[in-house]
Amino acid sequence: MKFIKNIAVCVFALLGAQQAFAYNCSGTAQYSDGSSYSNGAIVKNNNSAYQCTVGGWCSVGGPYAPGDGWAWSNAWNSLGACNGTGGGNSSSSSSSSVSSSSSSSNNNGSNNGSCPQWSSSAVYYTGDVVVYGGSYYIAEHDNPGYDPTISTWFWDPTSSCPGGNGGGSSSSTPSGNGFSAIVSEAQFNQMFPNRNTFYTYAGLVNAAATFPAFSTRGNLTTQKREAAAALANFSHETSGLYYINEIAQGTYCSGTATACGVCAAGKKYYGRGPIQLSWNYNYCTAGQALGLDLWSNPDQVAQNPTTAWRTALWFWMTQSGAGYRPAHDSMVNGNGFGETIRTINGSLECNGGNPGQVQSRINTYLDFTQILGTTPGNNLDC
């Protein structure tokens, strides 16, 4: 009971603090759920003003709707209650990036985007938007296909489909098929502004074509989350796609025979490529899977961009590593980003092994989901 009382005191204190200041809402645009907002945009909602701090999440709406959604404070700062001078529905604000096409969307389908019809057999994740009974609903929490009208804990009505405006903070809308339809080259460049020129977008797209399930399974939210998760981990392993080869270039020969032999004469199996593929047995197994002799010539991974990306995706899609399942499966089946970290580095980072490294990966993942205009989901830590 003492704990509950303390919560109540904090809530009343926060409410009182919000009433202590006001904002002149004159000329401030009315917030429109699911419309596009950039960092710094100021809107009014429920007679209070808010400023966007995370453009990707501000544009999702639903759980991030200012003052309404349960996670709104992660995307917006409260500027205070409108002081009465601008409480109307004016849409003329230089600080808001709402487009006319987005702000005019409604439940009649004018912004249908790519939101699917609800299905009882589908698994939905926080932030997913579906069409049900001719109206839009956004998932407030992950659920195994519950009816959108069953509970506001799992679903809430929303005014539009976020997929209709392209999403993300990049001005480039992805086009093409497979991975290139999820991450555009402009978004890739935004994620890796200081990358080594070896790591080309074309090489990644070509490599992804050899793993057609990569970032194409589940709904659009799931696809974007997987792309963000993979690229965030690759970024962490290479300091933003800067390093091609591991700095400490040890031999990494286990001394145990593999299907290819023990270790090729004079060859070292130190980390190379986006996932920093290491050890003789991994080079053997990856090479066999990819149809390349990586065991006798591991340097191929550092010489051909597509090969480098393919080794990273081979591990991501097929190897359980130090975890319980391949990272791809964790993202598609809703186990969360934290489990991809476990697959890559296991107890070296997870379960308190190195919380700083884990948080670094999480921070990058959050940045990348913002760029792609999606939500991160649950279970970020391991």
Side-chain angles (χ1 to χ4, degrees), residues 28-117:
T28 302
Q30 174 64 38
Y31 170 76
S32 177
D33 197 59
S35 294
S36 179
Y37 296 97
S38 59
N39 287 359
I42 297 176
V43 300
K44 61 186 175 186
N45 196 36
N46 296 332
N47 205 37
S48 291
Y50 301 88
Q51 184 169 34
C52 175
T53 58
V54 183
W57 293 357
C58 295
S59 302
V60 170
Y64 299 98
D68 283 340
W70 63 271
W72 74 264
S73 60
N74 293 321
W76 300 86
N77 279 337
S78 174
L79 300 178
C82 293
N83 62 8
T85 62
N89 292 324
S90 171
S91 59
S92 58
S93 172
S94 59
S95 60
S96 174
S97 63
V98 184
S99 66
S100 59
S101 60
S102 296
S103 61
S104 63
S105 61
N106 54 47
N107 288 349
N108 295 323
S110 62
N111 187 21
N112 190 48
S114 57
C115 292
Q117 293 286 333

Side-chain angles (χ1 to χ4, degrees), residues 105-192:
S105 61
N106 54 47
N107 288 349
N108 295 323
S110 62
N111 187 21
N112 190 48
S114 57
C115 292
Q117 293 286 333
W118 170 80
S119 171
S120 60
S121 61
V123 175
Y124 295 102
Y125 304 103
T126 304
D128 289 349
V129 178
V130 298
V131 180
Y132 180 83
S135 297
Y136 296 112
Y137 291 85
I138 187 167
E140 297 284 14
H141 293 87
D142 297 353
N143 68 86
Y146 291 144
D147 185 311
T149 61
I150 194 171
S151 167
T152 55
W153 169 257
F154 293 107
W155 296 94
D156 260 347
T158 187
S159 61
S160 62
C161 173
N165 57 32
S169 58
S170 170
S171 60
S172 172
T173 300
S175 60
N177 299 311
F179 177 80
S180 64
I182 302 302
V183 180
S184 71
E185 186 168 7
Q187 290 170 327
F188 177 76
N189 291 337
Q190 187 178 353
M191 292 173 177
F192 303 104

Side-chain angles (χ1 to χ4, degrees), residues 236-237 322 340-350 361:
H236 183 86
E237 295 295 314
T340 71
I341 303 174
R342 189 184 306 279
T343 293
I344 293 171
N345 247 6
S347 60
L348 292 177
E349 293 186 18
C350 295
R361 292 182 193 265

Side-chain angles (χ1 to χ4, degrees), residues 161-237:
C161 173
N165 57 32
S169 58
S170 170
S171 60
S172 172
T173 300
S175 60
N177 299 311
F179 177 80
S180 64
I182 302 302
V183 180
S184 71
E185 186 168 7
Q187 290 170 327
F188 177 76
N189 291 337
Q190 187 178 353
M191 292 173 177
F192 303 104
N194 301 312
R195 76 177 189 280
N196 191 305
T197 55
F198 172 80
Y199 292 112
T200 63
Y201 176 75
L204 174 56
V205 172
N206 291 337
T210 67
F211 290 93
F214 175 59
S215 296
T216 64
R217 296 297 182 261
N219 57 29
L220 185 60
T221 297
T222 302
Q223 294 167 13
K224 289 183 176 182
R225 284 176 181 171
E226 182 180 10
L231 293 175
N233 279 303
F234 299 162
S235 178
H236 183 86
E237 295 295 314

